[in-house]
Amino acid sequence: MTDSVSAVLASLPLTIPSPPQGVWQLGPIPLRAYALCIIAGIVVAVWLTERRFAARGGAPGFVIDVAVWAVPFGLVGGRLYHLATDWRTYFGPGGDPVAALYVWNGGLGIWGAIALGAIGAWIACRRRGVPLTAFADAAAPGIVLAQAVGRLGNYFNQELYGAPTTLPWGLEIYRRIDPGTGAVDNLTGVAVDRTPVEIVQPTFLYELIWNVAVAVLVIWADRRFTLSRGRAFALYVAGYTLGRFWIEMLRTDPALTRVEGVRVNVIVAAVLCLAALLYLALARGPREDLSASMDPDPTGSSGGGTGKPGLVTPRDDENDDARAARAARDEAAGPDRDDTDTHHGASEPSGVDAEPEGAQPEEEAAAAPPSSAHGSA
């Protein structure tokens, strides 16, 4: 029995194969796995944030309005951070500056994406009077889950891996070529030969698993301790950067380095982790009121004592015309007009024809616009 189990285990692959390609052609349209993973991550983040925001008393659909601002800002911020930390690839010797615009080929820095995305979210929240910290708390688990999905894009692109390893879960790296020219093309090429040229640490997988764990932690802590005032978001930042700190040190891809060869992402992760832990310890207060996220009454109804004038109907116009016609007939009758008011079915004293001081003549009242005749509802 033991021998058969050992034989089965020996027959299993001891490494993780990479995808043979990351781009598929649908006619003239390239279908890129990296872009699809980014889109899928955004959908997951919006869906989870919508559920959490509504559960906290926010308006359904408000998250979509914020995403319209936050997502474009985040994409721009992520790309700018990538260009700042890997500028030699695009602007150094032999670099291609135009390729700096090719977001679909990969290269989005999470720090820039969060920073500029937060500005977009702040603009959207400010327009409706919603505290940014409340929205950030609702969005925290969705953001880190989106990062986990996005790491699958790095897997398809054969990027963001670590040093060579002999571990059973090592990642196989293939040589990808352009089938038409035979030139090496790691991003859009195809692995014709599945023989790995290298077996490396799958740092993309480490971060993917870590991100899912952080999302679970934030959701649990939020329910257990009723986090508010940005503390759920701070817990996400602290948890993510703690993992990113040690995962980043396993990576071997080129990036901007400082301080005796230490990668800049390691330094940023350490600083942000400490800042998030400090905020988490100091922030206090109950959960914010999200009633401002509710849409105003779109019907324009004048009921309920709002003081807003109601709409003028055709019936209102007919009543004004009738009054104007009656006033014209009374004026034409002149001195022969009977002082008895037949509209009320009773005779009034002879003094009623003399208008009180400051009263509006009937002709002017008839000529006034309908809104002044009926007032506010």
Side-chain angles (χ1 to χ4, degrees), residues 130-313:
V130 175
L132 178 61
T133 53
F135 180 83
D137 283 339
I143 293 174
V144 73
L145 277 182
Q147 292 174 233
V149 176
R151 283 309 181 203
L152 289 174
N154 302 132
Y155 172 55
F156 278 93
N157 278 2
Q158 287 196 149
E159 60 186 2
L160 304 190
Y161 49 79
T165 182
T166 57
L167 292 172
W169 54 84
L171 177 67
E172 297 179 359
I173 299 299
Y174 305 139
R175 181 175 181 268
R176 291 177 177 177
I177 62 173
D178 184 336
T181 63
V184 176
D185 188 347
N186 182 59
L187 286 177
T188 61
V190 178
V192 179
D193 184 359
R194 298 295 185 88
T195 302
V197 296
E198 202 171 17
I199 298 178
V200 296
Q201 291 270 13
T203 54
F204 86 91
L205 182 61
Y206 299 160
E207 187 170 331
L208 188 157
I209 296 173
W210 184 271
N211 289 347
V212 173
V214 170
V216 173
L217 172 65
V218 173
I219 292 174
W220 171 82
D222 194 27
R223 292 177 178 175
R224 176 67 177 82
F225 302 106
T226 316
L227 299 178
S228 62
R229 309 286 172 174
R231 285 181 289 175
F233 188 82
L235 180 60
Y236 143 65
V237 173
Y240 170 73
T241 52
L242 180 63
R244 182 67 183 267
F245 180 83
W246 65 268
I247 294 172
E248 189 71 26
M249 290 192 294
L250 296 176
R251 288 172 52 179
T252 58
D253 55 302
L256 184 65
T257 58
R258 293 182 182 177
V259 188
E260 300 298 329
V262 178
R263 297 166 69 95
V264 68
N265 284 335
V266 174
I267 299 173
V268 173
V271 171
L272 289 179
C273 184
L274 293 175
L277 289 173
L278 182 63
Y279 182 91
L280 191 62
L282 298 179
R284 291 291 183 270
R287 284 188 172 176
E288 301 89 331
D289 180 16
L290 298 181
S291 60
S293 64
M294 299 295 179
D295 287 324
D297 182 12
T299 62
S301 172
S302 59
T306 61
K308 295 181 180 180
L311 298 175
V312 177
T313 64

Side-chain angles (χ1 to χ4, degrees), residues 75-101:
L75 292 175
V76 172
R79 190 60 173 177
L80 290 177
Y81 183 88
H82 170 72
L83 296 179
T85 56
D86 194 17
W87 59 270
R88 295 182 183 88
T89 301
Y90 307 96
F91 308 106
D96 182 7
V98 178
L101 303 176

